[in-house]
Amino acid sequence: MAKSGGGNRQKSKEYRLARKFDVVILGAGAAGMMCAIRAGARGRSVLVLDHAKGPGEKIRISGGGRCNFTNIHASPKNYLSSNPHFVKSALARYSAQDFIDLVNRHGIAFQEKTLGQLFCDDSAKDIIRMLLSEMQAAGAKLELQSGVASVEKSADGFRVVTSGGETIEARSVVVATGGKSIPKMGATGLAYDIARQFGLKLIETRPGLVPLTLDPNLLEKLAPLSGIAVPAEIRHGKTAFREALLFTHRGLSGPAILQISSYWREGDEISIVSEPDRRIADDLKAARKANGKQLVQTALAEILPKRLAQFFAEKHPAATKLADCSDKIFDAVAASIQDWRIRPAGSEGYRTAEVTLGGIDTSELESKTMQAKSVPGLYFIGECVDVTGWLGGYNFQWAWSSGHVCGEAL
Ligand code: FDA
């Protein structure tokens, strides 16, 4: 009896003792897992906490389930940040090639789809499995369905209290809880709250890589175009992206629009150049020579999807038979197709945004380690930092690079 009572006392004493780790990483997304791998491999005791049911949920759904895990052309010019130089060190120290080598070591088949974008042949889950097996090999511990109630500084590090009420002590805390995009998938503003709590500056956040919406009048006019995709160049100021444009029942989407959305601000105009590799005015002149009896709309339908051709032709009542049109009319028709100015009403917001622009001000962090300059032992990595990549694998590359250099420093 006495023995068993002593055992219980022992147990309750053990229960009260906080678990201790060298590093607690908040968030088992791309950045958090990469950081855990590196820190674990360097002999640190690592605990990764995530409130979701599974790790890497965004990896799982990314790239249409095939994860565009990096871009072979990734370089600082593919990133938006208040300090464009900040990404240089991490990208140089852990490059797209480093991640490709890791993927190759795990025998995961992949291919380049377009513009240097690498996708898994089979499934994004291959990337998650790879990261989990690397974490296991590195001895990093993962605890899911475990949220974070608080993070406080302690005498020799930090005290993290989980949503289950457990207190965990750590020498270092890495915040890798991502941005605000897709709250349905568990995105929270935790990283920003922790940054604020420790007095770090934030750059205002906004949705990025997101479809743009149109005012009801324009939307009604464009309704017949819903579902049409065309090659386009979308311009905003000096920035331009040449990829597909998609008309939707809410407004404009497709890779070209998602790319420009990260640069666009409320009230700004964008210019749409459909079929940017062609000179439509010249095409119409050539068609007039070949067959003057043809209607402008019919000639346009040889260049553009039929409904789009009709839409643009109807904007120019004077453009009927090709033979009856002056060069000036062709220029006007071509301009409406190849310099179409639109002022989007807004964006679809965090509900569908792939990323969050803004976040922890990079001036608060050391670019070689991701450590907060004013709070030794506190690190921020991945999407929560004011670094946002273009569409095309650049955002995962930032997660891998920032996670890796942080893990190296722990
Ligand atoms: P990420 O969001 O991946 O991870 C954060 C983790 O923290 C999550 O596991 C979350 O559950 C956890 N968390 C959040 N709050 C918490 C809290 N309070 N307590 C505990 N845990 C918490 N990029 C790319 O390069 N190629 C692509 O193909 C795509 N495709 C794509 C598709 C879609 C639909 C989206 C939404 C996004 C993409 N992206 C992408 C962007 C990419 O997913 C994104 O940049 C990275 O996932 C960011 O990695 P992080 O690890 O920083 O955050």
Side-chain angles (χ1 to χ4, degrees):
M1 283 285 278
K3 210 175 174 192
S4 124
N8 280 341
R9 267 200 307 278
Q10 180 73 20
K11 232 179 183 177
S12 65
K13 195 176 163 202
E14 272 170 15
Y15 185 69
R16 278 199 308 273
L17 279 180
R19 285 193 289 163
K20 285 188 182 173
F21 291 87
D22 291 329
V23 186
V24 170
I25 299 173
L26 312 181
M33 288 198 277
M34 179 53 90
C35 182
I37 292 165
R38 208 51 224 131
R42 294 180 61 253
R44 305 292 174 261
S45 60
V46 179
L47 173 67
V48 186
L49 296 175
D50 199 299
H51 66 174
K53 278 194 185 139
E57 278 295 274
K58 280 197 180 160
I59 299 176
R60 188 176 58 78
I61 61 152
S62 67
R66 294 238 160 88
C67 186
N68 175 195
F69 55 80
T70 192
N71 192 298
I72 53 177
H73 305 305
S75 83
K77 74 170 173 37
N78 307 115
Y79 293 88
L80 290 86
S81 170
S82 299
N83 174 7
H85 301 292
F86 184 80
V87 295
K88 285 183 179 168
S89 173
L91 285 182
R93 285 172 54 213
Y94 193 84
S95 65
Q97 191 55 53
D98 290 317
F99 194 77
I100 294 166
D101 291 344
L102 179 63
V103 169
N104 278 330
R105 283 203 294 281
H106 283 258
I108 298 172
F110 63 89
Q111 57 181 293
E112 179 184 345
K113 277 215 176 149
T114 175
L115 303 169
Q117 301 170 5
L118 302 188
F119 286 77
C120 296
D121 279 357
D122 292 330
S123 166
K125 288 182 192 156
D126 289 341
I127 298 293
I128 301 175
R129 275 193 286 269
M130 174 188 83
L131 296 167
L132 286 175
S133 90
E134 289 278 326
M135 272 171 69
Q136 198 176 14
K141 204 167 158 36
L142 170 64
E143 288 179 5
L144 297 166
Q145 293 182 286
S146 186
V148 180
S150 67
V151 177
E152 303 287 345
K153 191 94 190 70
S154 65
D156 51 357
F158 296 86
R159 213 173 289 118
V160 176
V161 179
T162 68
S163 49
E166 186 194 354
T167 298
I168 299 163
E169 286 176 7
R171 206 162 37 78
S172 308
V173 167
V174 180
V175 185
T177 48
K180 295 181 180 173
S181 330
I182 325 231
K184 248 190 184 169
M185 292 194 63
T188 64
L190 181 68
Y192 314 122
D193 295 340
I194 296 175
R196 265 186 226 105
Q197 178 195 332
F198 285 94
L200 307 188
K201 282 185 291 197
L202 293 169
I203 302 293
E204 195 188 351
T205 55
R206 58 196 174 92
L209 300 180
V210 63
L212 297 176
T213 57
L214 302 171
D215 73 54
N217 274 342
L218 186 55
L219 195 59
E220 201 186 320
K221 282 189 201 143
L222 299 188
L225 307 182
S226 177
I228 291 177
V230 274
E233 182 172 295
I234 313 290
R235 298 178 183 156
H236 173 268
K238 287 183 183 156
T239 310
F241 288 95
R242 222 174 239 223
E243 283 181 72
L245 157 70
L246 174 69
F247 295 90
T248 73
H249 64 287
R250 285 202 185 88
L252 303 173
S253 188
I257 290 291
L258 299 188
Q259 297 280 32
I260 216 73
S261 72
S262 296
Y263 293 83
W264 177 82
R265 300 288 182 127
E266 300 274 330
D268 289 356
E269 196 177 69
I270 57 170
S271 160
I272 299 176
V273 184
S274 296
E275 291 290 347
D277 292 328
R278 309 187 70 131
R279 291 178 60 87
I280 288 180
D282 292 348
D283 290 340
L284 290 174
K285 284 173 206 165
R288 181 177 57 194
K289 220 177 193 178
N291 181 6
K293 286 187 197 148
Q294 197 178 36
L295 293 175
V296 169
Q297 183 177 323
T298 316
L300 284 178
E302 285 170 18
I303 303 168
L304 300 168
K306 212 170 161 194
R307 276 182 284 156
L308 201 55
Q310 185 183 349
F311 172 81
F312 285 118
E314 282 171 0
K315 280 181 150 193
H316 301 274
T320 49
K321 236 194 286 169
L322 289 169
D324 298 339
C325 293
S326 63
D327 286 0
K328 216 170 149 192
I329 291 181
F330 287 160
D331 288 341
V333 172
S336 67
I337 301 169
Q338 299 201 295
D339 185 18
W340 185 15
R341 311 280 172 106
I342 284 186
R343 207 177 291 281
S347 84
E348 289 188 8
Y350 292 117
R351 189 179 60 80
T352 60
E354 284 199 11
V355 288
T356 303
L357 292 146
I360 319 302
D361 190 333
T362 57
S363 69
E364 300 281 10
L365 307 177
E366 286 165 1
S367 64
K368 287 195 171 76
T369 62
M370 304 292 135
Q371 182 169 222
K373 291 174 184 167
S374 57
V375 191
L378 182 64
Y379 298 76
F380 292 85
I381 57 174
E383 193 177 326
C384 66
V385 178
D386 171 35
V387 169
T388 305
W390 290 359
L391 185 80
Y394 302 101
N395 284 295
F396 278 136
Q397 187 55 45
W398 169 245
W400 315 135
S401 297
S402 59
H404 178 93
V405 298
C406 177
E408 283 275 287
L410 292 165

